[in-house]
Amino acid sequence: MPVFYLAYKRKPWIVKYREPWTNKPRVKSFGKDEEEKARAFERAQADLYEREREIIRRAKRRRAAQAPAGITVDDLLQRYMDTLSNPSTRAANDYHLRLFLSIYGHRKAHCISMEDVAAFLELQAKRGVGKSTACRRVGIVRTAYTWAVRWGLLSVNPLAGLQLSSPTPQTPDPPTAREARMLFATAAPHLQRVIAIGMATGARIGPSELFRLRWTDVDTRVAVLRMPNASKGAPLEAREVPLRSDLLRMLRQWEKEDAALGCPWVIHYKGRPVRSISRAWHNTLRRAGISRRIRPYDLRHAFASRSLDHGAELKCVAEIMGHANEKMIVRFYRHTNPRARRKAINAAPSLGLDKNMDPD
């Protein structure tokens, strides 16, 4: 780390040094009469640099000692999964990685190649797996490999250059008011609650939010509930959601029923908490005579679209749904309806081209 003098500067004594953690160059200037101070600073920085670099070297040696020799793909992915704090994310990743691990899990992690990934994607396509789902699965593997290099489990990432296409998400239109009534009429009691609360509050349908809702979170006297926030970086554990009058009447009735059972959860099946409604949902679609694809999560989309269609403020809709970024609502949750599309078609005046056509 040199100390040198530049006479033309207001503070001519210059010390150049590097930060030990980032290795970025830094410069500090001292006045004309501060040569000794500059040299003392240079010595202190040199000493600090060596001590901190030794800490870094020790950490690398510990990581190398902890990393098993010739780590397998299964070991690497399991270690990565252990770092995920959200149980829902871990469960989803575990599901998506099953086939990849069954094929490549026994292989040495550093031996996986781009050709292996291409073969896996081809296999997924032949099994009828959607392109979006297949890319998501490979994306999890790529993220795990990046993490492994960062933490010293691998010296080189064999998937560093992997590029995945971003297929257009195939999000179905949310249920219309008529479809929601058809579903509600044929649904089991616990699913009726999911439909009503999902359409009226925009809650995330699943264990991240709605299935965690307890009666202690619902205040029917002041018509408000505290919806648990999903683990997506929200600053608060829950958000306050006002209750509309039609939902409030149903909640008061359900609250009485559950008080007699001693059940603390708003969404439950015969007094037991609910983790998944996939089978019940598909059975309800079939009984309702709805053949098109509708997901439980589309109830959340329906809330956003219907609210905005009827003049709700975008910021309020975002806050109710637990989104800090209003653009997310417009980009992912806002759906148009046939009436709005017809209005858009007829918004511009006619060009009068039909006047030159012969009448039938």
Side-chain angles (χ1 to χ4, degrees), residues 36-290:
E36 187 54 39
K37 189 175 180 180
R39 296 192 182 280
F41 178 82
E42 187 271 338
R43 290 192 295 270
Q45 288 300 314
D47 182 62
L48 179 64
Y49 183 88
E50 287 303 320
R51 284 190 283 113
E52 292 192 353
R53 291 300 293 177
E54 179 56 30
I55 293 173
I56 296 171
R57 285 191 289 268
R58 285 203 305 268
K60 287 182 177 179
R61 287 195 294 268
R62 283 197 298 270
R63 285 204 304 267
Q66 292 169 359
I71 186 172
T72 65
V73 173
D74 183 72
D75 290 334
L76 186 152
L77 292 177
Q78 292 304 326
R79 282 170 172 249
Y80 167 70
M81 295 277 281
D82 289 341
T83 67
L84 303 178
S85 58
N86 189 320
S88 299
T89 303
R90 284 203 304 269
N93 284 6
D94 182 64
Y95 168 77
H96 283 298
L97 290 174
R98 285 176 186 172
L99 181 59
F100 191 90
L101 287 174
S102 68
I103 299 173
Y104 299 120
H106 65 284
R107 296 264 299 274
K108 298 298 183 184
H110 68 276
C111 293
I112 292 295
S113 65
M114 298 290 191
E115 289 74 16
D116 295 321
V117 172
F120 178 77
L121 290 172
E122 184 179 356
L123 175 62
Q124 293 281 276
K126 290 186 180 299
R127 293 192 176 194
V129 176
K131 188 175 182 180
S132 178
T133 300
C135 287
R136 178 182 178 182
R137 292 171 177 175
V138 173
I140 296 170
V141 176
R142 181 177 61 181
T143 301
Y145 267 75
T146 302
W147 168 86
V149 171
R150 186 166 64 247
W151 288 97
L153 296 178
L154 290 177
S155 58
V156 177
N157 185 356
L159 304 181
L162 179 61
Q163 297 292 326
L164 295 174
S165 59
S166 299
T168 304
Q170 299 177 347
T171 304
D173 286 335
T176 62
R178 176 175 174 273
E179 288 172 328
R181 289 192 293 269
M182 293 167 62
L183 288 168
F184 189 87
T186 58
H190 70 292
L191 202 56
Q192 287 183 331
R193 299 186 183 192
V194 172
I195 295 167
I197 300 174
M199 290 283 288
T201 68
R204 292 179 173 90
I205 311 299
S208 66
E209 284 191 1
L210 184 54
F211 296 172
R212 289 198 290 143
L213 186 67
R214 292 172 174 259
W215 284 114
T216 52
D217 299 318
V218 182
D219 192 338
T220 54
R221 293 172 301 174
V222 296
V224 70
L225 61 79
R226 296 185 74 254
M227 183 65 67
N229 275 324
S231 301
K232 293 180 177 290
L236 302 175
E237 292 183 359
R239 62 186 182 275
E240 191 173 280
V241 179
L243 296 172
R244 49 188 296 154
S245 57
D246 52 354
L247 178 62
L248 185 60
R249 287 192 294 271
M250 288 187 284
L251 283 170
R252 284 172 175 163
Q253 178 61 38
W254 294 334
E255 188 176 26
K256 291 179 182 178
E257 295 173 2
D258 290 354
L261 292 174
C263 182
W265 298 284
V266 177
I267 308 298
H268 64 91
Y269 181 74
K270 297 181 179 180
R272 298 190 301 274
V274 173
R275 297 292 299 175
S276 173
I277 58 170
S278 179
R279 181 178 298 179
W281 180 262
H282 288 294
N283 289 338
T284 302
L285 283 172
R286 178 177 49 80
R287 287 195 299 268
I290 298 175

Side-chain angles (χ1 to χ4, degrees), residues 11-23:
K11 291 185 176 182
W13 286 103
I14 309 297
V15 179
K16 285 190 174 182
Y17 63 100
R18 288 182 179 273
E19 290 184 347
W21 294 92
T22 63
N23 212 35

